[in-house]
């Protein structure tokens, strides 16, 4: 199964549950030439499913259910060098999530991670966390979603993080599967559409004036 994609010029990064892609053995994470569709030599070799990819310059951040990358212990979060044959970017960057990471977002030196976990780097964080990009340590930001977070997207200003998933409360406020979260305080904004089923995908359009959502809901 292919779960996530990230594009950088003529290279398409693919993550999922697969063990072969582009004519080569590749465990759950691969780089593909967009012209030939062939796998490149880049091969991080994840030992579990990759659910989320996010590119920042030459670093590819990955989230998922894996516990090793290139044989190095990496619990569900990893930073990978897209330019080197050895993919681990920084041996010290190892946040270690206590459960599956489903989605990632990035703004102002902060990496937001959503999923189905209870801790990151040994710090209690329920399903949603903010990590210092330089160190991988969780910040004080803690919205505490009471169910899995499956999709994240930031507004253009980086002041609001929109989240979708299975939750019914965020920051102690009732929020059915959709929420806006202040990126400074971690408080839920007044935005409260309320979906009757899980939200798995989010996209912003019209200069950020419209949020498109997809999932298993039937009413919003």
């Amino acid at each position: 199964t292919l779960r996530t994609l990230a594009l950088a010029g003529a290279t398409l990064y693919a993550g999922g549950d697969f063990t072969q892609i582009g004519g080569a053995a590749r465990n759950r994470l691969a780089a593909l030439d967009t012209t030939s569709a062939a796998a490149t030599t880049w091969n991080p070799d994840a030992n579990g499913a990759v659910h989320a990819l996010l590119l920042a310059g030459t670093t590819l951040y990955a989230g998922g259910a894996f516990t090793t990358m290139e044989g190095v212990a990496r619990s569900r979060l990893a930073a990978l060098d897209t330019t080197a044959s050895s993919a681990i970017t920084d041996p010290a960057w190892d946040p270690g999530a206590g459960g599956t990471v489903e989605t990632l977002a990035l703004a102002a030196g902060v990496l937001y991670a959503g999923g189905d976990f209870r801790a990151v780097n040994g710090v209690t964080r329920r399903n949603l966390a903010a990590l210092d990009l330089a160190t991988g340590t969780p910040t004080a930001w803690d919205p505490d979603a009471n169910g899995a977070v499956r999709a994240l997207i930031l507004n253009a200003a980086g002041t609001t993080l929109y989240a979708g998933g299975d939750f019914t409360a965020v920051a102690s406020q009732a929020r059915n599967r959709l929420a806006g979260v202040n990126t400074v305080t971690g408080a839920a904004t007044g935005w409260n559409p309320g979906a009757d089923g899980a939200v798995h995908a989010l996209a912003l359009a019209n200069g950020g004036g419209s949020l498109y959502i997809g999932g298993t809901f039937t009413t919003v």
Side-chain angles (χ1 to χ4, degrees):
T1 303
L2 185 66
R3 296 181 179 272
T4 181
L5 298 169
L7 182 64
T11 303
L12 181 68
Y13 296 93
D17 301 308
F18 53 82
T19 55
Q20 186 168 340
I21 192 170
R26 292 289 183 271
N27 290 324
R28 302 160 190 102
L29 186 54
L32 305 172
D33 185 291
T34 57
T35 301
S36 67
T40 73
T41 56
W42 189 82
N43 185 16
D45 189 29
N47 76 333
V50 174
H51 292 251
L53 295 174
L54 189 150
L55 269 166
T58 59
T59 300
L60 181 70
Y61 294 94
F66 54 83
T67 56
T68 66
M69 197 73 73
E70 270 194 335
V72 178
R74 286 293 182 272
S75 292
R76 294 123 188 156
L77 283 165
L80 306 170
D81 189 340
T82 59
T83 66
S85 56
S86 179
I88 298 294
T89 297
D90 181 357
W93 199 92
D94 184 19
T100 303
V101 174
E102 299 274 358
T103 180
L104 299 169
L106 177 65
V110 176
L111 182 70
Y112 298 93
D116 190 3
F117 51 80
R118 300 296 175 271
V120 177
N121 204 17
V123 179
T124 299
R125 288 292 182 270
R126 206 159 51 140
N127 306 311
L128 189 53
L131 308 174
D132 183 286
L133 200 62
T135 65
T137 57
T139 71
W141 188 85
D142 184 16
D144 189 36
N146 74 340
V149 174
R150 311 227 179 250
L152 294 173
I153 195 165
L154 285 149
N155 69 350
T159 55
T160 301
L161 180 70
Y162 294 100
D166 303 333
F167 53 82
T168 56
V170 174
S172 300
Q173 300 296 312
R175 292 292 184 272
N176 288 325
R177 295 134 193 137
L178 282 165
V181 184
N182 185 292
T183 56
V184 176
T185 66
T189 69
W191 187 81
N192 185 18
D196 72 342
V199 173
H200 290 261
L202 300 172
L204 278 169
N206 299 330
S210 298
L211 182 70
Y212 295 91
I213 68 173
T216 58
F217 54 85
T218 56
T219 64
V220 177

